[in-house]
Every structure is written in C-alpha cells, then in structure tokens.
Amino acid sequence: MTTIIRRFNDWPIPIKIILSFALVIFLGSILLSMPFSQLDSSEANYFDHLFGAVSMVAVTGLFTQPVAHTYSFIGQVFVLLLIKLGGLGLITIVSAVVLQFGRRVSIQGEVTLQQALNRKDRTDFKYYILSIVKYTTLIELIGASIMSIHFVPAFGWRDGLFTSVFLTISAFNNAGFDNLGTASLQPYMTNPIINTVIPVLIILGGLGFSVWFDIGKRFKSLLLYKDWKDWRSLKRNYRHLNLHSRLVIKWTFWLIIGAMFLFMLSEWNHPETIGTLSLIDKFQVSFFQAVTLRTAGFGTVNYAELHMFTLMVFTVFMFIGGSPGGTAGGAKTSTVALAVILLSSEIRGLSNVNYKHHTLKTEIVKRALVIVVMFVLLNFVAISIITIFDGHVPLQFIFFESISAFGTVGLSADLTPTLSRYSQTVIMFAMFIGRLGPITIFTALANQDKKKKDVKYATGEILIG
Amino acid sequence: MTTIIRRFNDWPIPIKIILSFALVIFLGSILLSMPFSQLDSSEANYFDHLFGAVSMVAVTGLFTQPVAHTYSFIGQVFVLLLIKLGGLGLITIVSAVVLQFGRRVSIQGEVTLQQALNRKDRTDFKYYILSIVKYTTLIELIGASIMSIHFVPAFGWRDGLFTSVFLTISAFNNAGFDNLGTASLQPYMTNPIINTVIPVLIILGGLGFSVWFDIGKRFKSLLLYKDWKDWRSLKRNYRHLNLHSRLVIKWTFWLIIGAMFLFMLSEWNHPETIGTLSLIDKFQVSFFQAVTLRTAGFGTVNYAELHMFTLMVFTVFMFIGGSPGGTAGGAKTSTVALAVILLSSEIRGLSNVNYKHHTLKTEIVKRALVIVVMFVLLNFVAISIITIFDGHVPLQFIFFESISAFGTVGLSADLTPTLSRYSQTVIMFAMFIGRLGPITIFTALANQDKKKKDVKYATGEILIG
Ligand SMILES: [K+]
Ligand SMILES: [K+]
C-alpha cells in the first residue's frame, strides 16, 4: 500500500487528477448501486449507476434513469456528495491529497497545480482551498434558505428542506440534477423564486473561484480604506478588477443577453415553449434558459420541442460553457474569448494580439485556439461514433446531446435514456473528458512526451489556400 | 469607361478577384437564361440560372434544376465555359487582365497575386498562365478521347463526343456537373472507363498547378541529364520534389485510401449502396466515391441512401477538400495539414512546428489554423441559417449539403432542389465563398484595415481552462 502511494506521488499531477476522478466515480457507482440507495421503483442496473456517477462527478446532469424514481434518501445524499466533489473540482481534492502527504511538490509540479487551479500567483494552496470550501458552503446555505420559502410550504419540512438543499447544491455546482421526477423544473417555469435564486447560484458558481477572490479582494480593500466614493461608482470598481475577471464578467453578461435574445427570437410564437405565455413570463423563461446554458443544465421548457434553430444556437453557448476554475464546464469563456481575439487579429493582419490595452502572450492565445479546435474535433468524433449505433436518430438531437455532454451542461432533448448502451458509453466519456477540462488533458498529454526534443530546423515552405 | 478601368486598377487585388468572379457569374446567368439556351422541358426561372451560374463558376455542381433537362446544346456550351473559367480560377483571369492593361503592378500587389496564384517564386506570370492553359487543354483532350470510347458507341458521334467533352471538363475542373439527367453517373457505377478516367482527371485537377510544375521540372531534368537510374527509383524521385508537393501528394493519397476504407466499412452490407455488388465492384465504387470527395462531386451511388455515419465521415473529407492553387475547393489539404501539425506540436508542448526536418513559419502555421476555424464557423453559420427556413429537414442532410457547398464539392443527398429559396441563397453564398477560397477572403479583409496600427502593449494575463 505504501508503495502504491509512493508511486502515486511520482506520477505527474494531471495523471493524478484523472485517476482520482476515475476512482471517485467508481466508488460513487458502488455506493449508488447498494440496495439501501435504491427506491422500490428503481429500474437501474450497474451501467445506469455508473453513468449516473460519471454525470454527477462531471456535474453534467444527463441520466439514463431519473434520480427521483431511482434513489432513496440515502442514495440522494450520495448524489449530492458526488456533485459536491465534482463541483469543487477533483483538482481541489487532489491538491489537498498532495499537500496532505506532506511531500514537497516539485517546482514544475507546483506550476501544473497552479495552472489546474487557475491561480497565477504562488499563494498558499491550503488557504485558497479552505476559503473556497467556506464560501461555497455559505452561498449554498443562503440559497437553500430562500428556496425553502417555496418548497417547505409545498412539500412539508423534511422533504421541502431536502429538495431546497438538493436543488441549491445542484444549481451552484452547475450539476443540473433534480429530484423532482421526469418533468424536472418544468412545473416551476414561471415561479419567481426558482427563476431568481437558481440563476444567481448558477452564475456565481460559473464565474470561477479566481474571479471571486478578485472581487473579494476589491471588496476588502474598500472596507479597509472606507473608500466609499469609489464604492458608489460601480464602473470604477469594475475597472479595478484584473483583466481576467473583467473579461469573464463581460463575456458571462453578454452570453446571457445573447442567448436570451436568440431564444426569444426563435421561440416567441412557438406554442410548445413560450408562445402562449404572458410577456413577463416570456422574459422570465427566456432568462432562465439563457442562464442554464452557463452549463447548469436545468430546463423549464421541453427541449425536445424546441425549434431546430434554437437547438443549433444553444449548442454554441453550451460549447463555450462557463469560466475556468469554477464549477462550470465547456471550452470556457476566456478560452473562447482569446481564440476569438486571435482570429480577429489575424484577419486584420495584426501580429500583436491585444485586449483592453494589453498584449496577450502568443503562447496562451495559440493554446486557446488549439483547445477550441480540439473540443470541436472531440465533439465531431463523439457525434460520428453515436451515428454508427443510433443512425435512426435525427442528427440535431445527437449533436445537441454530445455538445451538452462535453460542455457538462446536461440539457437534453430526452435522447440519452433512449440511446444504445454503446452511445451512452460515448456520452459517458464525453462528460468525463468535458469535466477534466482541456487544460488537464493537455498537460497530461504534454507530460508524456517530455523526452522528445524541440528541434529547430531550416525553414520549410508550404503553400496554403 | 476609362475612369472605371483606372479605378479598378487602384483597388486591391483580392477585391478585384471577388468583383471579377461576381461579374462573370452575373454575365453567365444572363447567358444561361436566354431563350436559345433553354430546352423546351426547362422549368428554370432566373433564380435557377443564377444559382447554376454560381455553382458552375464555383465548380461546385449543386443545382436547383438539372442541366440535362434545362439547357440546350448552346446552353450546355455556356455551362462548360463557366466551368472552365471557374476551374482555372478567376485569379488566373484577373492576373491576365491586370497584366493586359500593361500597368505595372506594385510590389505589394505582385506579392498578393503570387499568394493568390500560389507561386512562391517570382516567375513570369504570363508564362505560368499560358502553361496552365496549354497543359489543361492537353489533359482534357486526352481524357475526352478515352471517354469517347464508351460514349460514341452508346450515344452516336455528335452526342457521344459532346458528352465525353462535357464530363471530362467537368471532372478535370472538379465541377461535378453532368448532362446525363437525374440519375447522373449512377448507371455507370461499375463501368471501368468511368471508374478510371474520371478519377485520374479529378486527382490531376485537384493537385494544384504548382505541384504540376514541380513534377514537370523534375521530369524535364531527368530527360535532360538522362538520369534514368534515378528515374527508375520512384521513391528517390519523390524525395526530390519540394516540401509542398510531397505534402500534397501524400495527403491526397491517404485521404483517398482513408475515405475508401471508411466508405467500405460503413456501406459494405448496405443493400441500397454497395451491399449487393461483387467484391471487385465494391472496391471500384468505393474508390470512385473516395476520389470524388477531392471536391469533384460526381456520385455513382444515391447519397440520400447513405448511412448517417458515412455522411458524417464524408463531411470531413469534403471539408478538407483539394489542394491549393488548382481546380479543387475546400479548406485545402495543405492548410488542414499545417493545422494538424500545429495541433500535434502544441499537444506535445513543442514550440517549433516541424515537418519532415523542416521548421515551418509560425505565421503560416497560425494562419492555417485560423483558416480552418473560420471555415468551421462559416459552415456553422450557414447551417444555422438554413435551419431557420427549413427546420423540418433532418440536420444530417443540411450539414452535408452545406459542407459540400463550402467545399465546392457538389455531392448532394438531393436536398438543394427541395430547399426554400432563402436556404438556396445561403447555399449560393457558401459556394461563392468556398471558391474564392480562404486566402482571398483573408487578404481582402486584411487590406481594408491597413490603417489600424499593430500596437504592442504591456503583457496581459488571462487564465484559460
Ligand atoms: K450541468
Ligand atoms: K465540385
């Protein structure tokens, strides 16, 4: 056993992250498949539990058997536990493990860990991780309290509180699981509590911890120096945030506005979705769907009924996903942002890639574009494999489900439960890879090949067209 | 008039190319819509003629009304003329025009022209262009002669010769038009002449003129020095070709093998395609479909009957397309190759992008990746717009048709004629943009923004995930 631990310590950190993820999923699937985790109505076999465990740890929300008809109270507690672990990111757990063993991490290992945690300054990890746990718990407590205003009167104390806690954790961790049954949140389509608390939780979880810390730092310095004049000027405060925070906040804002606008444009008169609703409810429902695309995956409309254009547009938002180093998935807002900035610079023939009077590092920008392309390729491969086994399903639904899985969004046109086991396995891998995130995969691959030399030869000319 | 010509001379070359393209298409559509160009059976209105003219000049092969039921002998001669103009590339014509006016081209203009023509050495354009015209005509004469062995006995002298010429020009220019009616080449599925001559013409046309010149140069030096020992050794001769030629030949070879293998894998037992054929015919038909993906667009099977997996796989090959500076379309083999090489270097953490003991220029490699991403984006936008107007069509067919149009391939699951006029307009733009090619669009866009400065600021840090 000690040998195994010693060996584990020798492995590169990305490999540790991947293995820890896999281990947690495996243990989770065992716990979920225990008899005491099941309801009498459960029709799940081990594959369903494994699929569920992947989906929970990957905070996706796709399932082959719905939680409400499968898991007992104890089972649902396991579900929450897996979501919590997944949402905090196994990266966090791994780093805790690494630090726990007391062994000094090599400089290179520390750099990788910093990258994985999306921290650029070499601050004390323990403090960072404890703060994350503290603040996430606080936010979840507040969220659950407000939610219980609706659910306690509706379901009674025990079930009402538990449902509030369940939905809060699921929303904040961008997991998208619910314990309400097949209709999910559709009955709460126009409920004002659901339409405010859940979006706030989703957005907070999706911003990424480093943005929290930046906002927190700004807030603290305001309290310290009592600089209330600045405090009043929201815009000036915003400008004091670092470049990353500003980019993430700006993109999150415009992605929500954009998705909301396009959803309304496409579904305004569609009777199966928002066509028959009042003006205010149309806005409310559209706002909720726009926010849920930040990889939460709750739906208050039936996605199988959406216009094909809505499905196509939504895939773009799911592909982009949330921000790095938080509970959200996808290619990540900042990654896509850098890729877009690079594209526009290239088209204009500029050699420096600039954003807000800063020049971005060529390496990072190039890597962002590579990540985006890799994500496109991965999606294409997954979609193609699914067409082999489920060639009768119209492509738009496979397309939507695959991007939803890779982005760990979990929105579904009710396709996953009807797919073949082969295709469900593809979806499972998609969720796993999607949650590990491109950077982890990237670093894992790069580490394996350290021996190869980075040779510089004479220049070769190739014509492109 | 002189003022217009003088003004035209002042414009940047990519703009000239785009405008000349548009002008030829417009004139072509007028000629095609003339009464003497029509058959009695013609049901085409001006939109159909315009669509056809775009498709011909863009050497795509998609149509809203089939040639055989629409155009008279004279009309079909116009069709060939437009294909010839499109295949040689309006770039060629523009450069001819530019040289004709006798005005000295600025150094910068000359560089752009060289890029557009995919020539890196500053050789005499006139010689280059005349050689292209000479060799294309020679190859087409040989092709048509062999084809007439089948078609003259079948259709008689006049029609047999004309059909041979028509198919040869269409194949060599990767146009994919036929004058045989709705079944197209499907009746010739297992015809050995069709299955050899047409693929050879497609491949030759798709390699790109610069590769011809390179092979020609090698061939000449062999004749000159009577170095027959080398001549016998095919491999050694191959190694003497320049880096670009070798990359293009290698990729063309493997793309054909790959597409053939995947087609057989997917359709081997499919009774609607090759399931009922003999072993040899299965290979013959698979080879033909693999070659036609080099953006020719002839089909000897019914593409509406293909397995969804085949459709998905084929989109990859159509997306890649042929090689730059020839008659083929798509993102181009060498462009995709460089993007792939960059991806694999990035994943392995190498900062130098190497190919065959040569280091490639960072700028070119980055541009290749940008082109690929732009092509993906353009496709996505086109597909999404089509779903607005034709939301009832399963996505796989829209997907296939759009990539076929952008790649100027022209393979079709019989969708284009059934689409709404709005979607057909989208397809029309896709073909136009696809034939102009990413480099031309790129240069055109870059030229407009020359005033903006390429500022270098302090480094900005953004985290990606
Ligand atoms: K999710
Ligand atoms: K074509």
Side-chain angles (χ1 to χ4, degrees), chain B residues 417-447:
Chain B
T418 69
L419 287 176
S420 65
R421 285 301 196 204
Y422 301 108
S423 298
Q424 288 177 347
T425 308
V426 174
I427 296 279
M428 219 155 41
F429 275 97
M431 298 189 293
F432 185 68
I433 292 171
R435 182 57 193 155
L436 282 176
I439 280 285
T440 309
I441 309 265
F442 222 92
T443 336
L445 290 168
N447 267 331

CSV table of all heavy atoms in Angstrom, one decimal, chain B residues 417-447:
chain,number,residue,atom,x,y,z
B,417,PRO,N,-32.5,21.1,-54.4
B,417,PRO,CA,-33.7,21.5,-55.1
B,417,PRO,C,-35.0,21.6,-54.3
B,417,PRO,O,-35.9,22.3,-54.6
B,417,PRO,CB,-33.9,20.3,-56.2
B,417,PRO,CG,-32.6,19.6,-56.2
B,417,PRO,CD,-32.0,19.8,-54.9
B,418,THR,N,-35.0,20.9,-53.1
B,418,THR,CA,-36.2,20.9,-52.3
B,418,THR,C,-36.2,22.0,-51.2
B,418,THR,O,-37.2,22.3,-50.5
B,418,THR,CB,-36.4,19.6,-51.5
B,418,THR,OG1,-35.3,19.5,-50.6
B,418,THR,CG2,-36.3,18.4,-52.5
B,419,LEU,N,-35.0,22.7,-51.1
B,419,LEU,CA,-34.9,23.7,-50.1
B,419,LEU,C,-35.7,25.0,-50.5
B,419,LEU,O,-36.0,25.2,-51.6
B,419,LEU,CB,-33.5,24.1,-49.8
B,419,LEU,CG,-32.6,23.1,-49.1
B,419,LEU,CD1,-31.1,23.6,-49.0
B,419,LEU,CD2,-33.1,22.9,-47.7
B,420,SER,N,-36.0,25.8,-49.5
B,420,SER,CA,-36.6,27.1,-49.7
B,420,SER,C,-35.6,28.0,-50.5
B,420,SER,O,-34.4,27.8,-50.4
B,420,SER,CB,-37.0,27.8,-48.4
B,420,SER,OG,-35.9,28.1,-47.7
B,421,ARG,N,-36.2,29.0,-51.1
B,421,ARG,CA,-35.3,30.0,-51.8
B,421,ARG,C,-34.3,30.6,-50.9
B,421,ARG,O,-33.2,30.9,-51.3
B,421,ARG,CB,-36.1,31.0,-52.5
B,421,ARG,CG,-36.9,30.5,-53.8
B,421,ARG,CD,-36.0,30.0,-54.8
B,421,ARG,NE,-36.6,29.9,-56.2
B,421,ARG,CZ,-36.2,29.0,-57.1
B,421,ARG,NH1,-35.2,28.2,-56.9
B,421,ARG,NH2,-36.8,29.0,-58.3
B,422,TYR,N,-34.7,30.9,-49.7
B,422,TYR,CA,-33.8,31.6,-48.7
B,422,TYR,C,-32.6,30.7,-48.5
B,422,TYR,O,-31.4,31.1,-48.5
B,422,TYR,CB,-34.5,31.8,-47.4
B,422,TYR,CG,-35.7,32.7,-47.5
B,422,TYR,CD1,-37.0,32.2,-47.3
B,422,TYR,CD2,-35.5,34.1,-47.7
B,422,TYR,CE1,-38.1,33.0,-47.4
B,422,TYR,CE2,-36.6,34.9,-47.8
B,422,TYR,CZ,-37.9,34.4,-47.7
B,422,TYR,OH,-39.0,35.2,-47.8
B,423,SER,N,-32.9,29.4,-48.2
B,423,SER,CA,-31.8,28.4,-47.9
B,423,SER,C,-30.9,28.2,-49.2
B,423,SER,O,-29.7,28.1,-49.1
B,423,SER,CB,-32.3,27.1,-47.5
B,423,SER,OG,-33.0,27.3,-46.3
B,424,GLN,N,-31.6,28.2,-50.4
B,424,GLN,CA,-30.8,28.1,-51.6
B,424,GLN,C,-29.9,29.3,-51.8
B,424,GLN,O,-28.7,29.2,-52.3
B,424,GLN,CB,-31.7,28.0,-52.8
B,424,GLN,CG,-32.4,26.6,-52.8
B,424,GLN,CD,-33.4,26.5,-54.0
B,424,GLN,OE1,-33.8,27.5,-54.6
B,424,GLN,NE2,-33.9,25.3,-54.3
B,425,THR,N,-30.3,30.5,-51.3
B,425,THR,CA,-29.5,31.7,-51.4
B,425,THR,C,-28.3,31.5,-50.5
B,425,THR,O,-27.1,31.9,-50.8
B,425,THR,CB,-30.3,32.9,-51.0
B,425,THR,OG1,-31.5,32.9,-51.8
B,425,THR,CG2,-29.5,34.2,-51.2
B,426,VAL,N,-28.5,30.9,-49.3
B,426,VAL,CA,-27.4,30.6,-48.4
B,426,VAL,C,-26.4,29.7,-49.1
B,426,VAL,O,-25.2,29.9,-49.0
B,426,VAL,CB,-27.9,30.0,-47.1
B,426,VAL,CG1,-26.7,29.6,-46.2
B,426,VAL,CG2,-28.8,31.0,-46.3
B,427,ILE,N,-26.9,28.6,-49.7
B,427,ILE,CA,-26.0,27.7,-50.4
B,427,ILE,C,-25.2,28.4,-51.5
B,427,ILE,O,-24.0,28.1,-51.7
B,427,ILE,CB,-26.9,26.6,-51.0
B,427,ILE,CG1,-27.6,25.7,-49.9
B,427,ILE,CG2,-26.0,25.7,-51.9
B,427,ILE,CD1,-26.8,24.7,-49.3
B,428,MET,N,-25.9,29.3,-52.2
B,428,MET,CA,-25.2,30.1,-53.2
B,428,MET,C,-24.0,30.9,-52.7
B,428,MET,O,-22.9,30.8,-53.2
B,428,MET,CB,-26.3,31.1,-53.9
B,428,MET,CG,-26.1,31.2,-55.3
B,428,MET,SD,-27.7,31.7,-56.2
B,428,MET,CE,-28.4,33.0,-55.2
B,429,PHE,N,-24.3,31.6,-51.6
B,429,PHE,CA,-23.2,32.3,-51.0
B,429,PHE,C,-22.0,31.4,-50.5
B,429,PHE,O,-20.9,31.7,-50.6
B,429,PHE,CB,-23.7,33.2,-49.8
B,429,PHE,CG,-24.2,34.5,-50.3
B,429,PHE,CD1,-25.5,34.7,-50.5
B,429,PHE,CD2,-23.3,35.5,-50.5
B,429,PHE,CE1,-26.0,35.9,-50.9
B,429,PHE,CE2,-23.7,36.8,-50.9
B,429,PHE,CZ,-25.1,37.0,-51.1
B,430,ALA,N,-22.5,30.2,-50.0
B,430,ALA,CA,-21.5,29.2,-49.5
B,430,ALA,C,-20.6,28.8,-50.6
B,430,ALA,O,-19.3,28.7,-50.5
B,430,ALA,CB,-22.2,28.0,-48.9
B,431,MET,N,-21.1,28.5,-51.8
B,431,MET,CA,-20.3,28.1,-53.0
B,431,MET,C,-19.4,29.2,-53.4
B,431,MET,O,-18.2,29.0,-53.7
B,431,MET,CB,-21.2,27.7,-54.1
B,431,MET,CG,-22.2,26.5,-53.8
B,431,MET,SD,-23.0,25.9,-55.3
B,431,MET,CE,-24.1,27.3,-55.7
B,432,PHE,N,-19.9,30.4,-53.4
B,432,PHE,CA,-19.1,31.6,-53.8
B,432,PHE,C,-17.9,31.8,-52.9
B,432,PHE,O,-16.8,31.9,-53.4
B,432,PHE,CB,-20.0,32.8,-53.8
B,432,PHE,CG,-19.4,34.1,-54.4
B,432,PHE,CD1,-19.1,34.2,-55.7
B,432,PHE,CD2,-19.1,35.2,-53.5
B,432,PHE,CE1,-18.5,35.4,-56.2
B,432,PHE,CE2,-18.5,36.3,-54.0
B,432,PHE,CZ,-18.2,36.4,-55.4
B,433,ILE,N,-18.2,31.8,-51.6
B,433,ILE,CA,-17.1,32.0,-50.6
B,433,ILE,C,-16.2,30.8,-50.7
B,433,ILE,O,-14.9,31.0,-50.6
B,433,ILE,CB,-17.7,32.1,-49.2
B,433,ILE,CG1,-18.5,33.4,-49.1
B,433,ILE,CG2,-16.6,32.0,-48.1
B,433,ILE,CD1,-19.3,33.6,-47.8
B,434,GLY,N,-16.7,29.6,-50.9
B,434,GLY,CA,-15.9,28.4,-50.9
B,434,GLY,C,-14.9,28.5,-52.1
B,434,GLY,O,-13.7,28.0,-52.0
B,435,ARG,N,-15.4,29.0,-53.2
B,435,ARG,CA,-14.5,29.0,-54.4
B,435,ARG,C,-13.5,30.1,-54.3
B,435,ARG,O,-12.3,30.0,-54.7
B,435,ARG,CB,-15.3,29.1,-55.7
B,435,ARG,CG,-14.4,29.1,-56.9
B,435,ARG,CD,-13.5,27.8,-57.0
B,435,ARG,NE,-12.5,28.0,-58.1
B,435,ARG,CZ,-11.3,27.3,-58.0
B,435,ARG,NH1,-11.0,26.5,-57.1
B,435,ARG,NH2,-10.4,27.4,-59.0
B,436,LEU,N,-13.9,31.3,-53.8
B,436,LEU,CA,-12.9,32.4,-53.6
B,436,LEU,C,-11.8,31.9,-52.8
B,436,LEU,O,-10.6,32.2,-53.1
B,436,LEU,CB,-13.6,33.6,-52.9
B,436,LEU,CG,-14.5,34.5,-53.7
B,436,LEU,CD1,-15.1,35.5,-52.9
B,436,LEU,CD2,-13.7,35.1,-54.8
B,437,GLY,N,-12.1,31.1,-51.8
B,437,GLY,CA,-11.1,30.5,-51.0
B,437,GLY,C,-10.7,31.4,-49.8
B,437,GLY,O,-10.8,32.6,-49.9
B,438,PRO,N,-10.3,30.7,-48.7
B,438,PRO,CA,-10.0,31.5,-47.5
B,438,PRO,C,-8.9,32.5,-47.7
B,438,PRO,O,-9.0,33.7,-47.2
B,438,PRO,CB,-9.5,30.4,-46.6
B,438,PRO,CG,-9.9,29.1,-47.2
B,438,PRO,CD,-10.1,29.3,-48.6
B,439,ILE,N,-7.9,32.2,-48.5
B,439,ILE,CA,-6.8,33.2,-48.6
B,439,ILE,C,-7.2,34.5,-49.3
B,439,ILE,O,-6.9,35.6,-48.8
B,439,ILE,CB,-5.6,32.5,-49.5
B,439,ILE,CG1,-4.8,31.6,-48.6
B,439,ILE,CG2,-4.8,33.6,-50.1
B,439,ILE,CD1,-3.9,32.3,-47.7
B,440,THR,N,-8.1,34.4,-50.3
B,440,THR,CA,-8.6,35.6,-51.0
B,440,THR,C,-9.4,36.4,-50.0
B,440,THR,O,-9.2,37.6,-49.9
B,440,THR,CB,-9.4,35.2,-52.2
B,440,THR,OG1,-8.6,34.3,-53.0
B,440,THR,CG2,-9.8,36.4,-53.0
B,441,ILE,N,-10.3,35.8,-49.3
B,441,ILE,CA,-11.2,36.5,-48.3
B,441,ILE,C,-10.3,37.1,-47.3
B,441,ILE,O,-10.4,38.3,-46.9
B,441,ILE,CB,-12.1,35.5,-47.6
B,441,ILE,CG1,-12.8,34.6,-48.6
B,441,ILE,CG2,-13.0,36.2,-46.7
B,441,ILE,CD1,-14.2,35.0,-49.0
B,442,PHE,N,-9.4,36.4,-46.8
B,442,PHE,CA,-8.4,36.8,-45.8
B,442,PHE,C,-7.7,38.1,-46.2
B,442,PHE,O,-7.7,39.1,-45.5
B,442,PHE,CB,-7.4,35.7,-45.7
B,442,PHE,CG,-7.0,35.4,-44.3
B,442,PHE,CD1,-7.6,34.5,-43.5
B,442,PHE,CD2,-6.0,36.1,-43.7
B,442,PHE,CE1,-7.3,34.2,-42.2
B,442,PHE,CE2,-5.6,35.9,-42.4
B,442,PHE,CZ,-6.3,34.9,-41.7
B,443,THR,N,-7.1,38.0,-47.4
B,443,THR,CA,-6.3,39.2,-47.9
B,443,THR,C,-7.2,40.3,-48.1
B,443,THR,O,-6.9,41.5,-47.8
B,443,THR,CB,-5.6,38.8,-49.2
B,443,THR,OG1,-5.4,37.4,-49.2
B,443,THR,CG2,-4.3,39.5,-49.3
B,444,ALA,N,-8.5,40.1,-48.6
B,444,ALA,CA,-9.4,41.2,-48.8
B,444,ALA,C,-9.7,41.9,-47.5
B,444,ALA,O,-9.7,43.1,-47.4
B,444,ALA,CB,-10.7,40.6,-49.5
B,445,LEU,N,-10.0,41.1,-46.5
B,445,LEU,CA,-10.3,41.7,-45.2
B,445,LEU,C,-9.1,42.4,-44.6
B,445,LEU,O,-9.3,43.5,-44.1
B,445,LEU,CB,-10.8,40.6,-44.2
B,445,LEU,CG,-12.1,39.9,-44.5
B,445,LEU,CD1,-12.3,38.7,-43.7
B,445,LEU,CD2,-13.2,40.9,-44.3
B,446,ALA,N,-8.0,41.8,-44.7
B,446,ALA,CA,-6.8,42.4,-44.1
B,446,ALA,C,-6.5,43.7,-44.8
B,446,ALA,O,-6.1,44.7,-44.1
B,446,ALA,CB,-5.6,41.4,-44.3
B,447,ASN,N,-6.7,43.8,-46.1
B,447,ASN,CA,-6.4,45.0,-46.8
B,447,ASN,C,-7.2,46.2,-46.4
B,447,ASN,O,-6.7,47.3,-46.4
B,447,ASN,CB,-6.6,44.8,-48.3
B,447,ASN,CG,-5.3,44.3,-49.0
B,447,ASN,OD1,-4.2,44.7,-48.6
B,447,ASN,ND2,-5.4,43.6,-50.1
